[in-house]
Amino acid sequence: MPVTPSTIIRAADLDDLAGVYALEQACFVLDGQSRRSLRHLIARAHGDFLVAVVDEAVVADVIVLYRRGSRVARLYSIAVGPAARGRGMARRLLERAQAQAVARGCGFMRAEARLSNGASRGLFADAGYREIARLVDYYPGSNGGHEDGVRLEKQLNN
């Protein structure tokens, strides 16, 4: 499934629930969101839930959460399905998420990534994020253990 300039990036709605749940299961084997959590994030959370759609199929998404009274946006999740990887989709979603955070008056965006997730850490580094903290035992790991993560931050232009 090629990601092309005709890929549509739009706000998620409840009709996308099955697609975002399938994407979640494909991308986050150990710590994927439940249908109930995704439903809440789409319908009620104080944030932006964007999906990338190709031929009516959800191929990627990004979730950004906001806290009232704070100028810091939290990139909660970014997921790109196997068929859409390697085509710049994560970068496009990140750019759109940052633009929406700026439009909401945010001056910073923060995110977390597994220490072992070189692709994600590279994406953030290329986009100007810096690693500001080590998160010990932050993520569930295989065999019942845990894995460290990193917190990243970028000052947004606004």
Side-chain angles (χ1 to χ4, degrees):
M1 180 178 316
V3 177
T4 66
S6 64
T7 300
I8 298 168
I9 298 175
R10 60 169 173 76
D13 60 39
L14 290 175
D15 290 338
D16 298 314
L17 186 57
V20 296
Y21 180 72
L23 181 65
E24 191 79 7
Q25 298 306 299
C27 294
F28 304 111
V29 176
L30 295 173
D31 55 354
Q33 297 290 316
S34 67
R35 281 183 183 274
R36 181 179 183 184
S37 177
L38 290 167
R39 178 184 301 275
H40 173 78
L41 289 166
I42 291 170
R44 293 194 168 79
H46 183 57
D48 294 314
F49 194 137
L50 304 174
V51 292
V53 179
V54 175
D55 296 331
E56 299 182 29
V58 174
V59 299
D61 67 35
V62 64
I63 304 166
V64 179
L65 300 176
Y66 305 99
R67 183 177 299 161
R68 285 171 177 63
S70 174
R71 294 192 62 233
V72 179
R74 179 178 180 218
L75 194 147
Y76 182 69
S77 177
I78 189 165
V80 179
R85 290 184 186 149
R87 295 180 168 91
M89 181 50 61
R91 180 185 46 77
R92 288 177 61 192
L93 286 170
L94 181 57
E95 289 170 356
R96 178 64 89 60
Q98 291 172 165
Q100 292 208 201
V102 168
R104 287 179 176 259
C106 293
F108 294 88
M109 184 167 296
R110 291 191 184 141
E112 293 89 29
R114 287 179 183 270
L115 192 60
S116 64
N117 189 340
S120 182
R121 291 173 68 198
L123 168 73
F124 288 117
D126 289 348
Y129 286 74
R130 60 188 180 89
E131 295 184 3
I132 61 170
R134 179 86 171 253
L135 306 170
V136 178
D137 292 337
Y138 192 73
Y139 291 100
S142 58
N143 301 322
H146 289 88
E147 183 178 344
D148 290 353
V150 292
R151 177 163 294 124
L152 305 114
E153 181 179 77
K154 179 179 180 178
Q155 183 171 356
L156 303 173
N157 297 327
N158 62 346

Coordinates of all heavy atoms in Angstrom, one line a residue, residues 10-55:
R10 N -6.2 13.3 8.4 CA -7.4 14.0 9.0 C -7.6 13.6 10.4 O -7.0 12.6 10.9 CB -8.6 13.6 8.1 CG -8.9 12.2 8.1 CD -10.3 11.9 7.5 NE -10.6 10.5 7.3 CZ -10.9 9.6 8.3 NH1 -10.9 10.0 9.5 NH2 -11.1 8.3 8.0
A11 N -8.5 14.3 11.1 CA -8.9 13.9 12.5 C -9.6 12.5 12.4 O -10.4 12.3 11.6 CB -9.8 15.0 13.0
A12 N -9.2 11.7 13.4 CA -9.9 10.4 13.6 C -11.3 10.6 14.1 O -11.6 11.6 14.8 CB -9.1 9.6 14.5
D13 N -12.2 9.7 13.7 CA -13.5 9.6 14.3 C -13.8 8.2 14.6 O -13.1 7.3 14.4 CB -14.6 10.3 13.3 CG -14.7 9.5 12.0 OD1 -14.6 8.3 11.9 OD2 -14.9 10.2 11.0
L14 N -15.0 8.0 15.3 CA -15.3 6.6 15.8 C -15.4 5.6 14.7 O -15.2 4.4 14.9 CB -16.5 6.7 16.7 CG -16.3 7.4 18.0 CD1 -17.6 7.5 18.8 CD2 -15.2 6.7 18.8
D15 N -15.7 6.0 13.4 CA -15.7 5.1 12.3 C -14.3 4.5 12.0 O -14.2 3.5 11.4 CB -16.2 5.8 11.0 CG -17.7 6.1 11.1 OD1 -18.4 5.4 11.9 OD2 -18.1 7.0 10.4
D16 N -13.2 5.2 12.6 CA -11.9 4.7 12.4 C -11.4 3.7 13.5 O -10.3 3.2 13.4 CB -10.9 5.9 12.4 CG -11.1 6.8 11.2 OD1 -11.3 6.4 10.1 OD2 -11.2 8.1 11.5
L17 N -12.3 3.4 14.4 CA -11.9 2.7 15.6 C -11.3 1.3 15.2 O -10.2 0.9 15.7 CB -13.0 2.5 16.6 CG -12.7 1.8 17.9 CD1 -11.6 2.5 18.6 CD2 -13.9 1.7 18.8
A18 N -11.9 0.6 14.3 CA -11.4 -0.8 14.0 C -10.0 -0.6 13.3 O -9.1 -1.4 13.6 CB -12.4 -1.5 13.0
G19 N -9.9 0.3 12.5 CA -8.6 0.5 11.8 C -7.5 0.9 12.7 O -6.4 0.4 12.6
V20 N -7.8 1.9 13.6 CA -6.7 2.3 14.6 C -6.4 1.2 15.6 O -5.2 1.0 16.0 CB -7.0 3.6 15.2 CG1 -7.1 4.8 14.2 CG2 -8.2 3.6 16.1
Y21 N -7.4 0.4 15.9 CA -7.1 -0.7 16.8 C -6.2 -1.8 16.1 O -5.2 -2.3 16.7 CB -8.4 -1.4 17.3 CG -8.2 -2.5 18.2 CD1 -7.7 -2.3 19.5 CD2 -8.4 -3.8 17.8 CE1 -7.5 -3.4 20.4 CE2 -8.1 -4.9 18.7 CZ -7.7 -4.7 20.0 OH -7.4 -5.7 20.8
A22 N -6.5 -2.1 14.9 CA -5.7 -3.0 14.1 C -4.2 -2.5 14.0 O -3.2 -3.2 14.1 CB -6.3 -3.3 12.8
L23 N -4.1 -1.2 13.7 CA -2.8 -0.6 13.6 C -2.1 -0.7 14.9 O -0.9 -1.0 15.0 CB -3.0 0.9 13.2 CG -1.7 1.7 13.0 CD1 -0.9 1.2 11.8 CD2 -2.1 3.2 12.7
E24 N -2.7 -0.4 16.0 CA -2.2 -0.5 17.4 C -1.6 -1.9 17.7 O -0.5 -2.0 18.2 CB -3.2 -0.1 18.4 CG -2.8 0.1 19.8 CD -2.1 1.5 20.0 OE1 -2.1 2.4 19.1 OE2 -1.5 1.6 21.1
Q25 N -2.4 -2.9 17.3 CA -2.0 -4.3 17.5 C -0.8 -4.6 16.7 O 0.1 -5.4 17.1 CB -3.1 -5.2 17.3 CG -4.3 -5.0 18.2 CD -4.0 -5.1 19.6 OE1 -3.5 -6.1 20.1 NE2 -4.2 -4.0 20.3
A26 N -0.7 -4.1 15.5 CA 0.4 -4.4 14.6 C 1.7 -3.7 15.0 O 2.8 -4.2 14.8 CB 0.1 -4.0 13.1
C27 N 1.6 -2.5 15.6 CA 2.7 -1.7 15.9 C 3.2 -1.9 17.4 O 4.4 -1.7 17.6 CB 2.4 -0.2 15.7 SG 2.2 0.2 13.9
F28 N 2.4 -2.2 18.3 CA 2.7 -2.2 19.7 C 2.3 -3.5 20.3 O 1.3 -3.6 21.1 CB 2.1 -1.0 20.4 CG 2.4 0.3 19.8 CD1 1.4 1.1 19.2 CD2 3.6 0.9 19.9 CE1 1.7 2.3 18.6 CE2 3.9 2.1 19.4 CZ 2.9 2.8 18.7
V29 N 3.1 -4.5 20.1 CA 2.8 -5.9 20.6 C 2.7 -5.9 22.1 O 1.8 -6.6 22.6 CB 3.8 -6.9 20.0 CG1 3.6 -8.3 20.5 CG2 3.8 -6.8 18.5
L30 N 3.6 -5.3 22.8 CA 3.7 -5.4 24.2 C 2.8 -4.4 25.0 O 2.4 -4.7 26.1 CB 5.1 -5.3 24.7 CG 6.1 -6.4 24.3 CD1 7.5 -6.1 24.7 CD2 5.6 -7.8 24.9
D31 N 2.5 -3.3 24.4 CA 1.9 -2.2 25.1 C 0.9 -1.4 24.3 O 0.7 -0.2 24.4 CB 2.9 -1.3 25.8 CG 3.9 -0.7 24.8 OD1 3.9 -1.1 23.6 OD2 4.7 0.2 25.2
G32 N 0.1 -2.2 23.5 CA -0.9 -1.5 22.6 C -2.1 -1.0 23.5 O -2.4 -1.6 24.5
Q33 N -2.8 0.0 23.0 CA -4.0 0.5 23.6 C -5.2 -0.5 23.4 O -5.3 -1.1 22.3 CB -4.3 1.9 23.0 CG -3.3 2.9 23.3 CD -3.2 3.3 24.7 OE1 -4.2 3.5 25.4 NE2 -2.0 3.4 25.3
S34 N -6.1 -0.5 24.3 CA -7.3 -1.3 24.2 C -8.3 -0.5 23.3 O -8.1 0.7 23.1 CB -7.9 -1.5 25.6 OG -8.4 -0.2 26.1
R35 N -9.3 -1.2 22.8 CA -10.4 -0.5 22.0 C -11.0 0.6 22.9 O -11.3 1.7 22.4 CB -11.4 -1.5 21.6 CG -11.1 -2.3 20.4 CD -12.3 -3.2 20.1 NE -12.0 -4.1 19.0 CZ -12.1 -3.7 17.7 NH1 -12.6 -2.6 17.3 NH2 -11.8 -4.6 16.7
R36 N -11.2 0.3 24.1 CA -11.9 1.3 25.0 C -11.0 2.5 25.2 O -11.5 3.6 25.1 CB -12.1 0.6 26.4 CG -12.8 1.5 27.4 CD -13.0 0.8 28.7 NE -13.7 1.7 29.6 CZ -14.0 1.4 30.8 NH1 -13.6 0.2 31.3 NH2 -14.6 2.2 31.6
S37 N -9.7 2.4 25.4 CA -8.8 3.5 25.5 C -8.8 4.3 24.2 O -8.8 5.5 24.2 CB -7.4 3.0 25.8 OG -6.5 4.1 25.9
L38 N -8.7 3.6 23.0 CA -8.7 4.3 21.8 C -10.0 5.1 21.5 O -10.0 6.2 21.0 CB -8.4 3.3 20.6 CG -7.0 2.7 20.6 CD1 -7.0 1.5 19.6 CD2 -6.0 3.8 20.2
R39 N -11.1 4.5 21.9 CA -12.4 5.1 21.8 C -12.4 6.4 22.6 O -12.8 7.5 22.1 CB -13.5 4.2 22.2 CG -14.9 4.9 22.2 CD -16.0 4.0 22.8 NE -16.1 2.7 22.1 CZ -16.8 2.5 21.0 NH1 -17.5 3.5 20.4 NH2 -16.8 1.3 20.4
H40 N -11.9 6.4 23.8 CA -11.8 7.6 24.6 C -10.9 8.6 24.0 O -11.2 9.8 24.0 CB -11.3 7.2 26.0 CG -11.0 8.4 26.9 ND1 -12.0 9.1 27.5 CD2 -9.9 9.1 27.1 CE1 -11.5 10.2 28.1 NE2 -10.2 10.2 27.9
L41 N -9.7 8.2 23.5 CA -8.8 9.1 22.9 C -9.4 9.8 21.6 O -9.2 11.0 21.4 CB -7.5 8.4 22.5 CG -6.6 8.0 23.7 CD1 -5.6 7.0 23.3 CD2 -6.0 9.2 24.3
I42 N -10.2 9.1 20.9 CA -10.9 9.7 19.7 C -12.0 10.6 20.1 O -12.1 11.7 19.6 CB -11.4 8.6 18.8 CG1 -10.3 7.8 18.1 CG2 -12.3 9.2 17.7 CD1 -10.7 6.5 17.4
A43 N -12.8 10.2 21.0 CA -14.1 10.9 21.3 C -14.0 11.9 22.4 O -14.7 12.9 22.4 CB -15.2 9.9 21.6
R44 N -13.1 11.7 23.4 CA -13.2 12.5 24.6 C -11.9 13.2 25.1 O -12.0 14.1 25.9 CB -13.8 11.7 25.8 CG -15.2 11.3 25.5 CD -15.9 10.8 26.8 NE -17.3 10.7 26.6 CZ -17.9 9.7 26.0 NH1 -17.2 8.8 25.4 NH2 -19.2 9.7 25.9
A45 N -10.8 12.7 24.7 CA -9.5 13.2 25.2 C -9.3 14.7 24.8 O -9.8 15.1 23.7 CB -8.4 12.3 24.8
H46 N -8.6 15.4 25.6 CA -8.2 16.8 25.3 C -6.9 16.7 24.4 O -5.8 16.7 24.9 CB -8.0 17.6 26.6 CG -7.7 19.0 26.3 ND1 -8.5 19.8 25.6 CD2 -6.6 19.7 26.7 CE1 -8.0 21.0 25.6 NE2 -6.8 21.0 26.2
G47 N -7.1 16.5 23.1 CA -6.0 16.3 22.3 C -6.4 16.2 20.8 O -7.5 16.5 20.4
D48 N -5.4 15.9 20.0 CA -5.6 15.7 18.6 C -5.2 14.2 18.2 O -4.2 13.7 18.6 CB -4.6 16.6 17.8 CG -5.0 18.0 17.9 OD1 -6.2 18.4 17.8 OD2 -4.0 18.8 18.1
F49 N -6.1 13.5 17.6 CA -5.9 12.2 17.1 C -6.1 12.2 15.6 O -7.2 12.4 15.1 CB -7.0 11.2 17.8 CG -6.7 9.8 17.7 CD1 -6.9 8.9 18.7 CD2 -6.2 9.2 16.5 CE1 -6.7 7.6 18.7 CE2 -6.0 7.8 16.4 CZ -6.2 7.0 17.5
L50 N -5.0 12.1 14.9 CA -5.0 12.2 13.5 C -4.7 10.8 12.9 O -3.9 10.0 13.4 CB -3.9 13.2 13.0 CG -3.9 14.6 13.6 CD1 -2.7 15.4 13.1 CD2 -5.2 15.3 13.2
V51 N -5.3 10.5 11.7 CA -5.1 9.3 11.0 C -4.6 9.6 9.6 O -5.0 10.6 9.0 CB -6.3 8.4 10.9 CG1 -6.7 7.8 12.3 CG2 -7.5 9.1 10.4
A52 N -3.8 8.8 9.1 CA -3.4 8.8 7.7 C -4.1 7.7 7.0 O -4.1 6.6 7.4 CB -1.9 8.6 7.5
V53 N -4.8 8.1 5.9 CA -5.7 7.1 5.2 C -5.3 7.0 3.7 O -5.1 8.0 3.1 CB -7.2 7.6 5.3 CG1 -8.1 6.6 4.6 CG2 -7.6 7.7 6.8
V54 N -5.2 5.8 3.3 CA -4.9 5.5 1.9 C -6.0 4.5 1.4 O -6.1 3.4 2.0 CB -3.5 4.9 1.7 CG1 -3.3 4.4 0.2 CG2 -2.4 5.8 2.1
D55 N -6.7 4.8 0.4 CA -7.7 3.9 -0.1 C -8.7 3.5 1.0 O -9.0 2.3 1.1 CB -7.1 2.7 -0.9 CG -6.3 3.1 -2.1 OD1 -6.7 4.1 -2.7 OD2 -5.4 2.4 -2.4

